[in-house]
Amino acid sequence: MSLLDLFRKQPPSAPAARERLQILMAHERAGVRGPDYLPKLHKDLLRVCKKYMQISDDKVSVRVEELGNVSMLEVNIELPGGGAYAR
Amino acid sequence: MSKIIVMTSGKGGVGKTTSAASFAAGLALKGHKTVVVDFDVGLRNLDLVMGCERRVVFDFINVINGDARLKQALIRDKRVENLWILPTSQTRDKNALTKPGVERVLGALRQEFDFIICDSPAGIEKGALMALYFSDEAVIVTNPEISSVRDSDRILGVLASRSRRAELEMEPVKEHLLLTRYDLGRVETGEMLTVDDVMEILAIPLLGVVPESQSVLRASNLGSPVILDSASQPGQAYADAVGRFLGDSLEHRFLTAERRGIFQRLLRRSA
């Protein structure tokens, strides 16, 4: 530890806790409240994607978002290998 | 009309039993005939916190199995009038709590008591489900700490889907947030979630905030609900929470740190 560290204050950690919780809760609640077919849809999408690319399970996310009286299905598929649709 | 209230949290060690003991004592002090029931089969502790561990002869499971009458298992508190304890068993049998058995005992308690406080075990398995299943209201005991908040949210989900009220499509279980172990010093330095943070995330009404304090450990060492230590901040905070539960509008206390001079701080540190 350098002498400078003694005087440097660490940033407060509570805001990080709050933000992480908010993201997590939004995710978990969507999972709980979404339609029953969501997990199956997620699995099927993953299976289809795997036919065409090497992709890990956490790169496909499926969730339902409520916007007023409209429910929107949001599917995010992150392509492997970085930018410029490698491979 | 009697009410069944569950003290629950999902996570362990947040203060369910401490809160159940104090909440029950507080309701009894206000003149309501109250019983507090330990649902933590195999890990009985309410009797210790209430200071009646040496008076346990029969328990909740004996009554469910018909080995004892309810009157034989109920322990009358020696300090507070109107307050009774129904201890649980130390059996390791996970199936000791049956739904019909619990229903029968709670039904009999409803005939006698104004309030029935169910002290839930941690987790979301059988014991916890049994403790919340028949409840009319739920006090969600939460610490300002991420894993506790997440587990509280899970338990709220369970209450909304797996309680009797949910299954029968009755009016939902009324939810209350009780924030315990609130450390003002750490909140002020930005190292602990604030009341507002937790309320925003869980989105249920706040019943009370109990500050972190040595008097809670002291009370459990002595086997006396901390609410009876009316000079202590937690004692006052629990009394306020009970008042709010019964409909009083009381402002929340102990949400800002008292300013201490440097001299006092030095004294405190050396103490």
Side-chain angles (χ1 to χ4, degrees):
Chain A
M1 190 170 72
S2 83
L3 204 59
L4 259 179
D5 287 344
L6 280 176
F7 300 101
R8 199 180 297 144
K9 237 175 115 186
Q10 283 187 323
S13 60
R18 186 190 136 108
E19 203 184 308
R20 288 174 59 214
L21 267 173
Q22 278 172 331
I23 293 167
L24 181 74
M25 298 283 97
H27 206 257
E28 287 187 347
R29 283 179 192 156
V32 170
R33 288 187 196 153
D36 295 343
Y37 58 74
L38 227 52
K40 257 197 107 211
L41 177 67
H42 184 243
K43 247 181 158 167
D44 285 351
L45 278 170
L46 204 60
R47 198 165 37 90
V48 173
C49 289
K50 279 184 174 167
K51 257 170 82 177
Y52 300 95
M53 55 188 117
Q54 283 190 330
I55 194 168
S56 67
D57 292 10
D58 58 329
K59 298 295 184 216
V60 175
S61 80
V62 180
R63 53 187 234 174
V64 173
E65 220 166 293
E66 310 279 341
L67 292 168
N69 54 358
V70 183
S71 298
M72 232 167 41
L73 182 69
E74 185 187 304
V75 179
N76 267 308
I77 304 170
E78 196 183 315
L79 295 181
Y85 34 92
R87 265 179 287 188
Chain B
M1 209 3 219
S2 69
K3 254 185 200 154
I4 300 180
I5 305 157
V6 61
M7 291 276 165
T8 186
S9 67
K11 191 176 181 301
V14 297
K16 280 183 299 294
T17 302
T18 298
S19 297
S22 277
F23 210 75
L27 289 167
L29 285 170
K30 291 270 189 179
H32 302 281
K33 200 175 173 194
T34 305
V35 59
V36 53
V37 184
D38 193 346
F39 274 77
D40 203 346
V41 177
L43 294 167
R44 171 165 95 200
N45 275 321
L46 180 68
D47 54 337
L48 266 181
V49 173
M50 297 287 293
C52 63
E53 69 277 10
R54 295 173 62 177
R55 296 168 64 205
V56 177
V57 182
F58 294 111
D59 59 52
F60 192 14
I61 304 301
N62 292 144
V63 180
I64 286 179
N65 293 339
D67 299 332
R69 280 175 293 119
L70 184 55
K71 286 240 155 60
Q72 293 177 296
L74 283 170
I75 300 171
R76 180 181 213 145
D77 190 88
K78 285 189 168 166
R79 296 151 300 211
V80 183
E81 218 182 316
N82 300 317
L83 180 59
W84 302 73
I85 299 121
L86 183 55
T88 192
S89 150
Q90 286 288 47
T91 174
R92 289 201 219 165
D93 179 9
K94 274 192 170 178
N95 298 314
L97 284 178
T98 61
K99 202 181 264 184
V102 173
E103 182 168 29
R104 193 163 37 79
V105 175
L106 289 180
L109 290 173
R110 267 190 194 275
Q111 304 295 314
E112 298 282 328
F113 292 93
D114 301 326
F115 290 107
I116 300 153
I117 312 290
C118 301
D119 182 22
S120 171
I124 45 173
E125 292 184 25
K126 185 131 189 204
L129 290 177
M130 280 300 127
L132 67 79
Y133 185 76
F134 295 99
S135 62
D136 300 307
E137 305 202 20
V139 175
I140 315 296
V141 184
T142 308
N143 291 167
E145 183 268 321
I146 48 173
S147 46
S148 174
V149 175
R150 182 198 213 175
D151 291 357
S152 293
D153 192 70
R154 285 278 283 152
I155 268 298
L156 286 168
V158 173
L159 273 166
S161 60
R162 302 188 60 185
S163 63
R164 177 174 165 274
R165 284 178 170 268
E167 284 184 2
L168 300 182
E169 295 185 356
M170 293 162 69
E171 197 182 316
V173 176
K174 194 170 170 191
E175 301 152 339
H176 307 271
L177 173 63
L178 186 64
L179 198 59
T180 56
R181 308 203 68 163
Y182 196 63
D183 187 332
L184 284 173
R186 291 161 92 177
V187 167
E188 296 225 326
T189 54
E191 292 297 327
M192 183 176 264
L193 291 167
T194 67
V195 190
D196 293 332
D197 289 342
V198 180
M199 281 181 68
E200 194 187 322
I201 293 162
L202 292 179
I204 59 172
L206 181 66
L207 187 63
V209 179
V210 181
E212 171 82 69
S213 159
Q214 295 177 3
S215 43
V216 174
L217 179 58
R218 184 182 156 72
S220 78
N221 285 343
L222 298 173
S224 168
V226 71
I227 195 169
L228 299 181
D229 180 1
S230 52
S232 71
Q233 289 194 349
Q236 293 166 23
Y238 277 116
D240 284 3
V242 170
R244 284 184 206 105
F245 186 85
L246 294 171
D248 298 345
S249 66
L250 299 165
E251 228 175 283
H252 289 279
R253 294 191 272 176
F254 319 119
L255 297 187
T256 45
E258 48 187 302
R259 289 276 154 243
R260 283 200 304 264
I262 187 151
F263 190 62
Q264 272 172 302
R265 264 194 236 187
L266 285 171
L267 271 180
R268 174 102 178 224
R269 197 154 292 177
S270 61

